[in-house]
């Protein structure tokens, strides 16, 4: 985009600055809009599986429901509990929201459409997603109330546990792609499966990792069946119990932006990102961004589907799955993949 | 130009937040300032062209170490009045540490200006177009392989030590056996009986 601005007769330094800000807005604003629509989709899918109607009053088919909710929380009063730690209480939702937006900087939407095409893109995503836990811990502690605090403890333990196995899963992908750059990872998937299918997921060695990554991303975003942080029967509403109005809305937006990010990561790392599913020339005529969105929506549907059908895990089962099942398997898989690549690619 | 602005921005925030770490009254606030300092130190690393180290700094220190700090500090039952009461008692010790640190800093700067040990000629890196990760990997797995493995063994020993120290076998605890639970079928657990009138049944 910088070149376009330079061609309009702008100074290169200014052009870079303006292009970056324009890029940020081009990602953040549609993201907010899609979060609003995805909340609606989530409720509709959930309702359909439970044989209910879901939101259907505001606008045609209830499409404007999320905007009505947004307007409602915007007009509400922000209540700060008198014994809360004021500064941290207000910063916590902002951290959650900002961190959820920051990670989108390295997501490639098409072969050239990426805000920050950095060498360490995947590490950047790991780094940013490890920051997400602060919003939860801080909100839980600063609320000065016991349920949010329990929830914060659970959430942080859960996120840290699953980040470990996610790290090992990502190493498997990086070994195959031979790069940490997100665009290179996508390009490495061209014709990966039998020279025809554009996806790492069709590799027998990587498919188990894809499944584990999908489950880990459910746990990482604290979605059902791992939503113990918001287990309403035990913890009221979890870490956001004391929040109201816009600070509550920021948590919601951040949470769903994170869910979308995890769907995008699933699509990019294992299912070809902006590539068409099959390496066949006419399919490349469809813009890459549409393929990516289709894959993101598919994974979001899976997320909602799981939410509507799978009962909530018990906390010890959750920890067992993370530490005793996923961690050993993913660690073993790193050895397996390195061994396979040493035999085939580097010998 | 923008690099200069970024450098001074990051450097100022690192120093300011490091100062706030020791000035903040609430320990949780201290940890938050520490996290801000880590984060901006990572920014400084980025400016130096070490993006891999910068990301590791955020992943390891901000993502793991500081979270554990925060955990411990939040669990503490802090009495702020008591904390302040101890100030005078620990003042001499604190002053001593501060004086030693200041003396060492002055000493180090003096020695550096005198130009004593000639390290710069040995550590000059060759400029290549390889990425950060490749360069570090090539050095780590060839030239420094023994040091790397030694570091790994030290960490392994530390891990085993921590497990041995904290592991205890408690008697009388009933632990779930997940595979046994999963193997259990309805036929093993239930029995269909059809007792006649007045016969009752044995469980």
């Amino acid at each position: 985009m910088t070149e376009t601005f330079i061609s309009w007769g702008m100074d290169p330094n200014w052009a870079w600055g303006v292009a970056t800000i324009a890029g940020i807005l081009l990602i953040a604003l549609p993201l907010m809009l899609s979060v609003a629509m995805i909340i609606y989709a989530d409720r509709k899918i959930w309702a359909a599986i439970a044989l209910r109607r879901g939101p259907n009053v505001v606008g045609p088919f209830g499409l404007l429901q999320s905007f009505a909710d947004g307007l409602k929380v915007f007009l509400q009063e922000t209540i700060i509990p008198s014994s809360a730690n004021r500064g941290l209480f207000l910063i916590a939702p902002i951290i959650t929201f900002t961190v959820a937006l920051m990670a989108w900087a390295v997501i490639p939407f098409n072969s050239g459409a990426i805000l920050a095409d950095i060498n360490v893109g995947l590490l950047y995503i790991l780094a940013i997603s490890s920051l997400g836990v602060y919003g939860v811990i801080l909100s839980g502690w600063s609320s000065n109330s016991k349920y949010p605090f329990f929830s914060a403890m659970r959430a942080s333990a859960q996120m840290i546990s699953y980040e470990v196995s996610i790290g090992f899963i990502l190493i498997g992908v990086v070994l195959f792609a031979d790069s940490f750059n997100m665009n290179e990872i996508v390009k490495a998937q061209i014709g990966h499966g039998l020279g025809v299918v554009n996806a790492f997921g069709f590799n027998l060695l990587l498919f188990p990792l894809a499944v584990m990554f999908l489950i880990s991303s459910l746990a990482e975003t604290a979605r059902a069946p791992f939503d113990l942080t918001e287990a309403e029967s035990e913890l009221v509403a979890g870490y956001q119990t004391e929040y109201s109005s816009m600070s509550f809305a920021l948590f919601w937006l951040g949470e769903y932006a994170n869910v979308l990010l995890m769907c995008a990561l699933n699509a990019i790392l294992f299912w070809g990102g902006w590539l068409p599913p099959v390496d066949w020339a006419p399919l490349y005529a469809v813009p890459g961004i549409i393929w990516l969105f289709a894959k993101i929506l598919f994974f979001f549907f899976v997320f909602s589907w799981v939410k509507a059908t799978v009962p909530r895990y018990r906390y010890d089962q959750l920890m067992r799955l993370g530490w005793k099942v996923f961690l050993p398997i993913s660690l073993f898989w790193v050895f397996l993949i390195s061994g396979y690549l040493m035999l085939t690619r580097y010998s | 130009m923008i690099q200069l602005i970024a450098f001074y921005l990051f450097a100022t925030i690192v120093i300011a937040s490091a100062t706030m770490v020791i000035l903040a009254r609430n320990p949780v606030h201290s940890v938050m300032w520490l996290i801000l300092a880590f984060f901006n130190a990572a920014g400084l690393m980025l400016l130096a062209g070490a993006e891999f180290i910068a990301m590791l700094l955020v992943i390891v220190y901000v993502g793991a170490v500081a979270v554990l700090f925060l955990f411990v500090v939040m669990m503490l039952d802090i009495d702020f009045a008591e904390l302040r009461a101890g100030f005078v008692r620990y003042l001499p010790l604190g002053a001593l540490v501060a004086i030693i640190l200041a003396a060492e800093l002055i000493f180090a700067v003096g020695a550096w200006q005198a130009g004593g040990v000639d390290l710069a000629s040995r550590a000059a890196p060759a400029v290549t177009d390889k990425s950060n990760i490749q360069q570090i990997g090539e050095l780590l797995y060839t030239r420094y392989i023994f040091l790397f493995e030694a570091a790994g063994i030290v960490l392994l020993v530390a891990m085993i030590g921590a497990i041995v120290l904290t592991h205890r076998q408690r008697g009388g605890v009933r632990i779930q056996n997940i595979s046994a639970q999963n193997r259990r079928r309805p036929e093993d657990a239930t029995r269909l009986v059809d007792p006649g009138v007045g016969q009752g049944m044995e469980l």
Side-chain angles (χ1 to χ4, degrees), chain A residues 131 134 137-138 153 180 314, chain B residues 62 66 71 74-75 133 176:
Chain A
L131 290 182
Y134 283 109
I137 301 189
L138 284 182
M153 292 288 130
F180 272 98
R314 226 171 43 217
Chain B
V62 181
F71 251 126
M74 281 177 176
M75 293 291 190
I133 301 171
Q176 252 186 326

Side-chain angles (χ1 to χ4, degrees), chain A residues 39 48 95 172 185 187 202 300 302 323 333:
Chain A
I39 291 175
I95 291 179
I185 291 176
K187 281 176 190 156
F202 276 88
F300 187 77
V302 172
W323 287 107
W333 234 260

Side-chain angles (χ1 to χ4, degrees), chain A residues 2-334:
Chain A
T2 316
E3 285 75 34
T4 326
F5 283 110
I6 292 175
S7 69
W8 289 354
M10 236 187 235
D11 178 66
N13 280 330
W14 276 103
W16 177 81
V18 174
T20 307
I21 291 172
I24 292 172
L25 289 179
L26 260 179
I27 292 176
L29 296 181
L31 181 66
M32 286 300 91
L33 192 68
S34 46
V35 162
M37 293 322 289
I38 220 86
I39 291 175
Y40 166 77
D42 195 21
R43 294 173 67 177
K44 270 291 193 197
I45 295 168
W46 200 8
I49 293 177
L51 291 180
R52 291 182 284 114
R53 283 178 191 279
N56 64 349
V57 175
V58 191
F61 308 108
L63 273 169
L64 300 176
Q65 181 67 48
S66 298
F67 299 101
D69 288 345
L71 189 67
K72 185 192 75 183
V73 293
F74 194 69
L75 295 176
Q76 276 174 342
E77 180 194 355
T78 308
I79 299 169
I80 301 174
S82 56
S83 58
N85 194 313
R86 223 184 144 79
L88 291 181
F89 186 82
L90 291 175
I91 288 175
I94 299 175
I95 291 179
T96 307
F97 181 70
T98 320
V99 163
L101 286 188
M102 269 167 80
W104 285 87
V106 294
I107 297 290
F109 292 98
N110 207 337
S111 74
I114 176 168
L115 182 62
D117 198 8
I118 53 178
N119 279 331
V120 287
L122 205 53
L123 282 178
Y124 173 83
I125 288 202
L126 261 184
I128 295 301
S129 70
S130 66
L131 290 182
V133 71
Y134 283 109
V136 178
I137 301 189
L138 284 182
S139 62
W141 181 78
S142 64
S143 296
N144 207 353
S145 159
K146 61 184 155 198
Y147 295 125
F149 192 60
F150 282 146
S151 162
M153 292 288 130
R154 280 184 180 187
S156 40
Q158 177 178 338
M159 285 182 183
I160 293 172
S161 314
Y162 280 85
E163 241 156 48
V164 179
S165 57
I166 284 186
F168 281 123
I169 292 168
L170 295 187
I171 287 177
V173 176
V174 167
L175 282 173
F176 259 99
D178 208 12
S179 172
F180 272 98
N181 182 305
M182 297 298 274
N183 240 336
E184 296 296 317
I185 291 176
V186 173
K187 281 176 190 156
Q189 303 184 36
I190 296 178
H192 187 78
L194 307 170
V196 186
V197 189
N198 292 334
F200 274 156
F202 276 88
N203 187 329
L204 272 183
L205 262 179
L206 284 168
F207 182 71
L209 289 185
V211 175
M212 284 201 292
F213 188 72
L214 184 64
I215 300 173
S216 299
S217 50
L218 284 172
E220 182 73 7
T221 50
R223 289 275 294 189
F226 306 116
D227 57 345
L228 287 135
T229 54
E230 290 157 51
E232 63 279 344
S233 51
E234 309 154 28
L235 295 178
V236 192
Y239 54 89
Q240 31 184 290
T241 304
E242 305 289 345
Y243 282 86
S244 59
S245 119
M246 272 319 276
S247 44
F248 176 75
L250 284 182
F251 270 125
W252 260 74
L253 290 174
E255 219 167 86
Y256 273 88
N258 256 333
V259 169
L260 278 182
L261 177 78
M262 276 299 169
C263 295
L265 280 183
N266 268 298
I268 288 166
L269 295 176
F270 291 102
W271 305 102
W274 43 264
L275 294 167
V278 181
D279 194 21
W280 183 47
L283 286 180
Y284 285 95
V286 180
I289 195 161
I290 291 187
W291 288 119
L292 181 67
F293 280 3
K295 288 169 187 173
I296 291 177
L297 286 178
F298 171 75
F299 280 107
F300 187 77
F301 177 74
V302 172
F303 271 45
S304 309
W305 188 9
V306 169
K307 179 182 176 177
T309 47
V310 183
R312 187 177 290 142
Y313 261 53
R314 226 171 43 217
Y315 198 69
D316 61 314
Q317 290 173 326
L318 173 82
M319 284 294 141
R320 177 182 169 272
L321 186 69
W323 287 107
K324 292 189 179 171
V325 180
F326 281 1
L327 183 61
I329 293 181
S330 54
L331 195 56
F332 175 69
W333 234 260
V334 170

Side-chain angles (χ1 to χ4, degrees), chain B residues 115-177:
Chain B
V117 193
D118 199 11
L119 284 172
S121 64
R122 201 176 63 182
V127 179
T128 54
D129 54 350
K130 278 181 190 158
S131 79
N132 239 279
I133 301 171
Q134 273 177 320
Q135 285 180 353
I136 289 177
E138 275 172 15
L139 271 183
L140 210 57
Y141 292 111
T142 54
R143 199 160 149 194
Y144 297 111
I145 182 73
F146 291 115
L147 289 174
F148 179 67
E149 287 181 346
I153 288 173
V154 169
L155 286 175
L156 182 70
V157 169
M159 189 178 82
I160 294 174
I163 292 172
V164 167
L165 283 178
T166 53
H167 187 73
R168 58 192 171 125
Q169 208 92 46
R170 277 181 301 173
V173 183
R174 305 218 288 182
I175 297 173
Q176 252 186 326
N177 185 346

